[in-house]
Amino acid sequence: MRGARLRLDVQGEGRLVLYGHGLMSGRWAMEESGTFDWSPIVAAGHRLARLDWRGHGDSTGTAEPDHYTWSALGTDLLALLDQLSPEAQVDAIGCSMGTGSILHAAATAPDRFRRIVLTAPPTAWETRREQGATYERLAEIAATGGATAVERVFAMQPTQGVLAERESPMRVNVSDDLLPALLLGAAQTDLPDRERLRGLPVPTLILSWAGDPSHPVSTGEALHDLIADSRYHVAQSLADVRAWGGVVADFLSQD
């Protein structure tokens, strides 16, 4: 897969559901931090495949920034589906970067997806430029100080919104040699153009959390307006976010 081997953990039996995490995170990180609880999905009779995107966690990657844009990760996802489920449609859950990557894949090949869940939609379109500049600065820091220096920057910044309730600090699940390229790829990426998303023929659940400028409610609202067959919910607390597992399980259990 263009110089990368992707790591998956598969749990449960039933229809395939793929989970893709956020930037610099890993396949289990949000559950280990107490943010997400996907156990209701498995309990509802689904086969949950947690994915480390290229360059993250136990997946390999190359030091090429354009390999880490959301469109490139979406291409990785479609290639992975060719192996995991070449004939049957799948369900997919994204978080932040994972949401952007799944949207690119679904906009390119909507017939591959039965239902998608977009959690923590990130900055996009008008709000993306400032976020991109932040990632460029972090790439410079990572080039000299590695993941430890990036974690130090996050530790000095106040956590806003729902995530302020978490006790676990931000951990970077990317090796020092890949981190600068990964951040530069994030800096140059964006969601698909609005016209590509308008009328997306895939039932979609959109789950935002409040008070986080890196994942503004405005993106979730815009996606809800664009995607006709979509449902939208905003979490106001960490307890709301932890309840998403049951909400997602119910959504994916529908025919």
Side-chain angles (χ1 to χ4, degrees):
M1 202 170 292
R2 291 193 308 159
R5 296 191 310 274
L6 304 185
R7 171 65 185 269
L8 283 166
D9 285 343
V10 182
Q11 183 182 25
E13 300 291 337
R15 182 185 288 124
L16 180 63
V17 181
L18 190 137
Y19 167 68
H21 59 78
L23 181 68
M24 296 184 285
S25 187
R27 63 193 187 278
W28 288 99
M30 293 292 276
E31 289 170 271
E32 290 175 345
S33 71
T35 308
F36 290 161
D37 176 13
W38 295 144
S39 60
I41 298 171
V42 177
H46 301 284
R47 181 163 53 105
L48 180 60
R50 296 172 175 87
L51 165 69
D52 275 344
W53 295 107
R54 71 162 56 230
H56 293 77
D58 295 319
S59 292
T60 64
T62 57
E64 300 289 338
D66 61 352
H67 287 184
Y68 300 101
T69 64
W70 295 339
S71 60
L73 297 180
T75 299
D76 282 351
L77 175 56
L78 292 175
L80 182 63
L81 294 184
D82 287 341
Q83 301 175 30
L84 296 177
S85 186
E87 297 180 0
Q89 290 182 318
V90 305
D91 296 332
I93 307 166
C95 177
S96 190
M97 179 187 75
T99 279
S101 303
I102 287 170
L103 271 176
H104 272 277
T108 300
D111 58 307
R112 302 305 307 274
F113 299 91
R114 192 188 70 97
R115 289 174 176 262
I116 58 175
V117 180
L118 310 176
T119 76
T123 52
W125 308 305
E126 293 82 5
T127 62
R128 190 64 190 171
R129 181 174 298 179
E130 182 177 351
Q131 189 70 29
T134 296
Y135 289 141
E136 290 175 349
R137 292 191 294 271
L138 285 175
E140 295 177 358
I141 293 170
T144 57
T148 299
V150 172
E151 289 178 348
R152 191 177 301 121
V153 170
F154 280 112
M156 292 187 297
Q157 303 298 318
T159 306
Q160 302 183 58
V162 167
L163 296 189
E165 300 178 40
R166 293 195 310 184
E167 297 181 0
S168 300
M170 165 71 180
R171 297 298 183 197
V172 175
N173 286 285
V174 181
S175 63
D176 288 350
D177 58 327
L178 296 182
L179 187 55
L182 190 147
L183 287 164
L184 288 174
Q188 67 188 41
T189 200
D190 205 341
L191 290 185
D193 292 341
R194 286 180 172 88
E195 287 307 311
R196 291 188 66 203
L197 297 178
R198 198 179 304 278
L200 182 71
V202 182
T204 302
L205 175 63
I206 304 164
L207 300 172
S208 292
W209 54 48
D212 179 0
S214 296
H215 303 88
V217 169
S218 60
T219 304
E221 292 172 342
L223 290 171
H224 182 43
D225 289 341
L226 288 168
I227 303 173
D229 191 358
S230 66
R231 307 176 191 182
Y232 183 47
H233 173 74
V234 179
Q236 301 294 336
S237 67
L238 185 58
D240 287 346
V241 174
R242 285 189 57 78
W244 281 355
V247 174
V248 173
D250 289 344
F251 176 72
L252 297 182
S253 297
Q254 298 173 26
D255 293 327

